[in-house]
Amino acid sequence: MPQADPHNQHLAQLYQEQSAKVLATLVRLLGDFDLAEEAMHEAFSVALQAWKENGVPANPTAWLISTGRFKAIDNLRRKKRIAKLEPDIQQLITDLEEHNKHVNQQEIEDDQLRMIFTCCHPAINIQVQIPLTLREVCGLTTEEIASAYLVTPATMAQRIVRGKNKIKRTNIPFVIPQAADLPDRIDAVLSVIYLIFNEGYAASSGNLLCKVNLSNEAIRLCRLVLSLLPDSEVMGLLALMLLHESRREARVDEQGNIVLLAEQNRALWRPDLIAEGVALVQQALATQNIGTYTIQAAIASIHAQSTTSTDWQQIIELYDLLMKVDPSPVVELNRAVAVAMRSGPQAGLEIIEGISAQGKLNHYHKLHSTQGELLARIGDLPAAIKAFEMALSLVKQIPEKRYLQQKLTQHKKTINDKI
Amino acid sequence: MKFICLGYFDEVKWNALPESEQTKLMEECFAYDDELRRGKHFLGGEALGSAANAVTLRIKSGDVDVLDGPFTETKEVLGGILFLEAKDLNHAISLMAKHPGVKMGPFEIRCADETINQQILARNNKFNN
């Protein structure tokens, strides 16, 4: 679409806002991603002309869905003439014509939710769930997703095709899960959203620590899910992401180096995001249905609200709760840091030695860098250097590498100065 | 986005088909091209003459060197080019997956290099003014 024409620009904006909704409803009605996508494109192409002449209708979504449906019927009829296709096509045309009265707002919303659950279906590989969700729910193009994940468009296109084939072959239903399955299925959706956010917050490799787009997409997606499904864990995850996002500007300095929480310039924190995050945490806690994201968000909200001193006791209690709800060695490591802050570095080191003895996190760079930090605090610099060197050999991100190298240089210099 | 779809096919197999079968397959392709036209996806195309009549040109020690035959000696040769307009690579894939030509041989889909295309356009405009 040429950019100069304001009508086209308005339509391009509508495309951005409406395409995912239109696509979701058409996928339900047509039972086929490719047919639905084609019908959607045709509907927009008709809109380009019709709306220029008659103005944009009051409910553009419903208009586009209805037009898309008519186009789909036309296409199916034509295909029937061109090549002999399956006999169920006739049935589909009949069904579509019957449905072709009107779609209400509730149905459109339910279709979006169906689309989210389909893209995040546990039968689909997580590496495929993510780009599928970004393309079909968030409306990003294959090329945009590929550049965000630093892979070629061909690689990303392959994953998306694989995902669509999987949906078709295994007949993954386009439905909102039953109440009994809902908690597990929501978990799957939330983990996709959180993975997208984390990829945007800290690229898994390479030089870019922050990629604004993916984090924003994840927050937008979570807001959408929350509006469709007001579940406490959805609130918890949205709060957690907003609280992380509030510190984005403060977590790297002008040279692109990492600044730890304790040393961050709080003037750079976003009070609007903190306020929204804190309110969501309280709302989620009030439901009494408290899950892992809500607890993590509660911990983040204490950090976000502590201006002079941090209530480490409360943070330790939340980590204890998290260990009950969602135990993992990473949670144990984070708890060790909180214990070190409350009771001194030696107490933290003892917990870390325990984790290390279980052999669970020995390939995780943060175990070694945390150990190094605490060893440095008790004054055992040679052991600290050893731990930081171990961390450096395991870390992939360039800013984190630089941070560890700085620590190593600093401690080595201290030792040399003493000699 | 603009994509260039390179359609490959096996000339020997194609030539072995009865003429009626060839016509039928071509009609199917043309009918689907119309589908693409209706959706404003079809930007144009070129059918290629037989690879048997191809010459491959290169410079060898400063002189023009010409070999008869296509650049690569494979069973499947380039048979035609289609210019396609699509939202993104996956949209292009889903459009071309339904093209009957894919039954005759593989399609290679490439996105247009818009940077170089812009340079060509600028040269065109400069030349024509």
Side-chain angles (χ1 to χ4, degrees), chain A residues 286-308:
Chain A
T287 64
Q288 305 284 317
N289 180 22
I290 299 160
T292 169
Y293 293 115
T294 304
I295 301 167
Q296 292 177 65
I299 294 168
S301 83
I302 295 174
H303 286 305
Q305 288 170 296
S306 48
T307 41
T308 45

PDB file of all heavy atoms in Angstrom, chain A residues 286-308:
ATOM      1  N   ALA A 286      -5.320 -11.171  46.003  1.00  0.00           N
ATOM      2  CA  ALA A 286      -6.644 -11.154  46.624  1.00  0.00           C
ATOM      3  C   ALA A 286      -7.525 -12.312  46.159  1.00  0.00           C
ATOM      4  O   ALA A 286      -8.489 -12.672  46.837  1.00  0.00           O
ATOM      5  CB  ALA A 286      -7.332  -9.815  46.324  1.00  0.00           C
ATOM      6  N   THR A 287      -7.190 -12.912  45.014  1.00  0.00           N
ATOM      7  CA  THR A 287      -8.030 -14.014  44.536  1.00  0.00           C
ATOM      8  C   THR A 287      -7.816 -15.292  45.341  1.00  0.00           C
ATOM      9  O   THR A 287      -8.591 -16.232  45.217  1.00  0.00           O
ATOM     10  CB  THR A 287      -7.723 -14.363  43.058  1.00  0.00           C
ATOM     11  OG1 THR A 287      -6.375 -14.831  42.980  1.00  0.00           O
ATOM     12  CG2 THR A 287      -7.946 -13.195  42.131  1.00  0.00           C
ATOM     13  N   GLN A 288      -6.733 -15.326  46.128  1.00  0.00           N
ATOM     14  CA  GLN A 288      -6.401 -16.503  46.944  1.00  0.00           C
ATOM     15  C   GLN A 288      -5.939 -17.694  46.101  1.00  0.00           C
ATOM     16  O   GLN A 288      -5.635 -18.749  46.628  1.00  0.00           O
ATOM     17  CB  GLN A 288      -7.596 -16.967  47.814  1.00  0.00           C
ATOM     18  CG  GLN A 288      -8.175 -15.901  48.714  1.00  0.00           C
ATOM     19  CD  GLN A 288      -7.297 -15.635  49.920  1.00  0.00           C
ATOM     20  OE1 GLN A 288      -6.796 -16.557  50.541  1.00  0.00           O
ATOM     21  NE2 GLN A 288      -7.087 -14.375  50.223  1.00  0.00           N
ATOM     22  N   ASN A 289      -5.922 -17.475  44.797  1.00  0.00           N
ATOM     23  CA  ASN A 289      -5.493 -18.544  43.904  1.00  0.00           C
ATOM     24  C   ASN A 289      -4.111 -18.148  43.389  1.00  0.00           C
ATOM     25  O   ASN A 289      -3.979 -17.579  42.320  1.00  0.00           O
ATOM     26  CB  ASN A 289      -6.514 -18.679  42.766  1.00  0.00           C
ATOM     27  CG  ASN A 289      -6.134 -19.778  41.806  1.00  0.00           C
ATOM     28  OD1 ASN A 289      -5.377 -20.685  42.160  1.00  0.00           O
ATOM     29  ND2 ASN A 289      -6.630 -19.688  40.581  1.00  0.00           N
ATOM     30  N   ILE A 290      -3.096 -18.440  44.213  1.00  0.00           N
ATOM     31  CA  ILE A 290      -1.785 -17.833  43.983  1.00  0.00           C
ATOM     32  C   ILE A 290      -0.828 -18.829  43.341  1.00  0.00           C
ATOM     33  O   ILE A 290      -0.551 -19.888  43.895  1.00  0.00           O
ATOM     34  CB  ILE A 290      -1.204 -17.295  45.310  1.00  0.00           C
ATOM     35  CG1 ILE A 290      -2.153 -16.226  45.873  1.00  0.00           C
ATOM     36  CG2 ILE A 290       0.179 -16.709  45.106  1.00  0.00           C
ATOM     37  CD1 ILE A 290      -1.960 -15.975  47.342  1.00  0.00           C
ATOM     38  N   GLY A 291      -0.345 -18.463  42.168  1.00  0.00           N
ATOM     39  CA  GLY A 291       0.574 -19.335  41.445  1.00  0.00           C
ATOM     40  C   GLY A 291       1.953 -18.726  41.312  1.00  0.00           C
ATOM     41  O   GLY A 291       2.244 -17.665  41.863  1.00  0.00           O
ATOM     42  N   THR A 292       2.780 -19.401  40.518  1.00  0.00           N
ATOM     43  CA  THR A 292       4.191 -19.039  40.424  1.00  0.00           C
ATOM     44  C   THR A 292       4.434 -17.618  39.888  1.00  0.00           C
ATOM     45  O   THR A 292       5.286 -16.904  40.398  1.00  0.00           O
ATOM     46  CB  THR A 292       4.970 -20.101  39.600  1.00  0.00           C
ATOM     47  OG1 THR A 292       6.259 -19.599  39.306  1.00  0.00           O
ATOM     48  CG2 THR A 292       4.268 -20.451  38.298  1.00  0.00           C
ATOM     49  N   TYR A 293       3.646 -17.192  38.885  1.00  0.00           N
ATOM     50  CA  TYR A 293       3.884 -15.848  38.330  1.00  0.00           C
ATOM     51  C   TYR A 293       3.514 -14.767  39.335  1.00  0.00           C
ATOM     52  O   TYR A 293       4.189 -13.750  39.451  1.00  0.00           O
ATOM     53  CB  TYR A 293       3.091 -15.649  37.034  1.00  0.00           C
ATOM     54  CG  TYR A 293       3.581 -16.520  35.912  1.00  0.00           C
ATOM     55  CD1 TYR A 293       2.764 -17.522  35.377  1.00  0.00           C
ATOM     56  CD2 TYR A 293       4.862 -16.372  35.386  1.00  0.00           C
ATOM     57  CE1 TYR A 293       3.219 -18.336  34.349  1.00  0.00           C
ATOM     58  CE2 TYR A 293       5.325 -17.182  34.366  1.00  0.00           C
ATOM     59  CZ  TYR A 293       4.495 -18.169  33.849  1.00  0.00           C
ATOM     60  OH  TYR A 293       4.945 -18.975  32.832  1.00  0.00           O
ATOM     61  N   THR A 294       2.410 -15.012  40.073  1.00  0.00           N
ATOM     62  CA  THR A 294       1.974 -14.023  41.060  1.00  0.00           C
ATOM     63  C   THR A 294       3.029 -13.874  42.160  1.00  0.00           C
ATOM     64  O   THR A 294       3.332 -12.751  42.581  1.00  0.00           O
ATOM     65  CB  THR A 294       0.616 -14.444  41.662  1.00  0.00           C
ATOM     66  OG1 THR A 294      -0.312 -14.610  40.586  1.00  0.00           O
ATOM     67  CG2 THR A 294       0.093 -13.418  42.626  1.00  0.00           C
ATOM     68  N   ILE A 295       3.600 -14.996  42.605  1.00  0.00           N
ATOM     69  CA  ILE A 295       4.618 -14.920  43.663  1.00  0.00           C
ATOM     70  C   ILE A 295       5.860 -14.189  43.153  1.00  0.00           C
ATOM     71  O   ILE A 295       6.405 -13.314  43.830  1.00  0.00           O
ATOM     72  CB  ILE A 295       4.993 -16.335  44.173  1.00  0.00           C
ATOM     73  CG1 ILE A 295       3.758 -17.051  44.712  1.00  0.00           C
ATOM     74  CG2 ILE A 295       6.054 -16.237  45.258  1.00  0.00           C
ATOM     75  CD1 ILE A 295       3.958 -18.544  44.954  1.00  0.00           C
ATOM     76  N   GLN A 296       6.280 -14.531  41.928  1.00  0.00           N
ATOM     77  CA  GLN A 296       7.453 -13.839  41.362  1.00  0.00           C
ATOM     78  C   GLN A 296       7.178 -12.343  41.208  1.00  0.00           C
ATOM     79  O   GLN A 296       8.060 -11.517  41.445  1.00  0.00           O
ATOM     80  CB  GLN A 296       7.814 -14.427  39.995  1.00  0.00           C
ATOM     81  CG  GLN A 296       8.343 -15.846  40.083  1.00  0.00           C
ATOM     82  CD  GLN A 296       8.623 -16.395  38.685  1.00  0.00           C
ATOM     83  OE1 GLN A 296       9.496 -15.904  37.986  1.00  0.00           O
ATOM     84  NE2 GLN A 296       7.876 -17.408  38.282  1.00  0.00           N
ATOM     85  N   ALA A 297       5.936 -12.025  40.799  1.00  0.00           N
ATOM     86  CA  ALA A 297       5.569 -10.616  40.652  1.00  0.00           C
ATOM     87  C   ALA A 297       5.552  -9.932  42.011  1.00  0.00           C
ATOM     88  O   ALA A 297       5.967  -8.769  42.140  1.00  0.00           O
ATOM     89  CB  ALA A 297       4.206 -10.491  39.972  1.00  0.00           C
ATOM     90  N   ALA A 298       5.105 -10.649  43.052  1.00  0.00           N
ATOM     91  CA  ALA A 298       5.079 -10.075  44.410  1.00  0.00           C
ATOM     92  C   ALA A 298       6.504  -9.744  44.859  1.00  0.00           C
ATOM     93  O   ALA A 298       6.747  -8.687  45.451  1.00  0.00           O
ATOM     94  CB  ALA A 298       4.412 -11.050  45.376  1.00  0.00           C
ATOM     95  N   ILE A 299       7.455 -10.658  44.546  1.00  0.00           N
ATOM     96  CA  ILE A 299       8.867 -10.396  44.888  1.00  0.00           C
ATOM     97  C   ILE A 299       9.353  -9.154  44.129  1.00  0.00           C
ATOM     98  O   ILE A 299       9.953  -8.248  44.705  1.00  0.00           O
ATOM     99  CB  ILE A 299       9.744 -11.629  44.546  1.00  0.00           C
ATOM    100  CG1 ILE A 299       9.370 -12.807  45.454  1.00  0.00           C
ATOM    101  CG2 ILE A 299      11.229 -11.281  44.683  1.00  0.00           C
ATOM    102  CD1 ILE A 299       9.953 -14.154  45.034  1.00  0.00           C
ATOM    103  N   ALA A 300       9.052  -9.114  42.839  1.00  0.00           N
ATOM    104  CA  ALA A 300       9.479  -7.965  42.016  1.00  0.00           C
ATOM    105  C   ALA A 300       8.851  -6.665  42.516  1.00  0.00           C
ATOM    106  O   ALA A 300       9.480  -5.611  42.458  1.00  0.00           O
ATOM    107  CB  ALA A 300       9.107  -8.192  40.552  1.00  0.00           C
ATOM    108  N   SER A 301       7.620  -6.759  43.044  1.00  0.00           N
ATOM    109  CA  SER A 301       6.946  -5.537  43.494  1.00  0.00           C
ATOM    110  C   SER A 301       7.584  -5.004  44.786  1.00  0.00           C
ATOM    111  O   SER A 301       7.617  -3.798  45.008  1.00  0.00           O
ATOM    112  CB  SER A 301       5.442  -5.747  43.656  1.00  0.00           C
ATOM    113  OG  SER A 301       5.149  -6.328  44.901  1.00  0.00           O
ATOM    114  N   ILE A 302       8.125  -5.908  45.612  1.00  0.00           N
ATOM    115  CA  ILE A 302       8.836  -5.435  46.814  1.00  0.00           C
ATOM    116  C   ILE A 302      10.091  -4.671  46.393  1.00  0.00           C
ATOM    117  O   ILE A 302      10.371  -3.582  46.897  1.00  0.00           O
ATOM    118  CB  ILE A 302       9.209  -6.619  47.739  1.00  0.00           C
ATOM    119  CG1 ILE A 302       7.933  -7.277  48.273  1.00  0.00           C
ATOM    120  CG2 ILE A 302      10.098  -6.150  48.889  1.00  0.00           C
ATOM    121  CD1 ILE A 302       8.192  -8.537  49.066  1.00  0.00           C
ATOM    122  N   HIS A 303      10.828  -5.254  45.437  1.00  0.00           N
ATOM    123  CA  HIS A 303      12.028  -4.564  44.937  1.00  0.00           C
ATOM    124  C   HIS A 303      11.677  -3.207  44.345  1.00  0.00           C
ATOM    125  O   HIS A 303      12.357  -2.217  44.585  1.00  0.00           O
ATOM    126  CB  HIS A 303      12.729  -5.410  43.869  1.00  0.00           C
ATOM    127  CG  HIS A 303      13.467  -6.587  44.429  1.00  0.00           C
ATOM    128  ND1 HIS A 303      14.426  -6.456  45.402  1.00  0.00           N
ATOM    129  CD2 HIS A 303      13.388  -7.919  44.155  1.00  0.00           C
ATOM    130  CE1 HIS A 303      14.911  -7.664  45.702  1.00  0.00           C
ATOM    131  NE2 HIS A 303      14.286  -8.573  44.964  1.00  0.00           N
ATOM    132  N   ALA A 304      10.587  -3.192  43.578  1.00  0.00           N
ATOM    133  CA  ALA A 304      10.212  -1.961  42.874  1.00  0.00           C
ATOM    134  C   ALA A 304       9.790  -0.860  43.844  1.00  0.00           C
ATOM    135  O   ALA A 304       9.927   0.320  43.541  1.00  0.00           O
ATOM    136  CB  ALA A 304       9.088  -2.243  41.888  1.00  0.00           C
ATOM    137  N   GLN A 305       9.268  -1.265  45.015  1.00  0.00           N
ATOM    138  CA  GLN A 305       8.753  -0.265  45.961  1.00  0.00           C
ATOM    139  C   GLN A 305       9.750   0.118  47.050  1.00  0.00           C
ATOM    140  O   GLN A 305       9.493   1.027  47.827  1.00  0.00           O
ATOM    141  CB  GLN A 305       7.473  -0.791  46.628  1.00  0.00           C
ATOM    142  CG  GLN A 305       6.289  -0.819  45.678  1.00  0.00           C
ATOM    143  CD  GLN A 305       5.123  -1.569  46.280  1.00  0.00           C
ATOM    144  OE1 GLN A 305       5.204  -2.762  46.540  1.00  0.00           O
ATOM    145  NE2 GLN A 305       4.046  -0.856  46.543  1.00  0.00           N
ATOM    146  N   SER A 306      10.888  -0.642  47.142  1.00  0.00           N
ATOM    147  CA  SER A 306      11.824  -0.345  48.230  1.00  0.00           C
ATOM    148  C   SER A 306      12.769   0.762  47.779  1.00  0.00           C
ATOM    149  O   SER A 306      13.560   0.584  46.864  1.00  0.00           O
ATOM    150  CB  SER A 306      12.605  -1.589  48.615  1.00  0.00           C
ATOM    151  OG  SER A 306      13.104  -2.220  47.475  1.00  0.00           O
ATOM    152  N   THR A 307      12.642   1.900  48.443  1.00  0.00           N
ATOM    153  CA  THR A 307      13.459   3.046  48.040  1.00  0.00           C
ATOM    154  C   THR A 307      14.774   3.078  48.826  1.00  0.00           C
ATOM    155  O   THR A 307      15.832   3.254  48.241  1.00  0.00           O
ATOM    156  CB  THR A 307      12.695   4.360  48.262  1.00  0.00           C
ATOM    157  OG1 THR A 307      12.009   4.274  49.503  1.00  0.00           O
ATOM    158  CG2 THR A 307      11.715   4.614  47.132  1.00  0.00           C
ATOM    159  N   THR A 308      14.721   2.875  50.138  1.00  0.00           N
ATOM    160  CA  THR A 308      15.965   2.928  50.914  1.00  0.00           C
ATOM    161  C   THR A 308      16.436   1.536  51.317  1.00  0.00           C
ATOM    162  O   THR A 308      17.525   1.118  50.963  1.00  0.00           O
ATOM    163  CB  THR A 308      15.796   3.814  52.166  1.00  0.00           C
ATOM    164  OG1 THR A 308      14.549   3.482  52.780  1.00  0.00           O
ATOM    165  CG2 THR A 308      15.798   5.288  51.785  1.00  0.00           C
TER     166      THR A 308
END
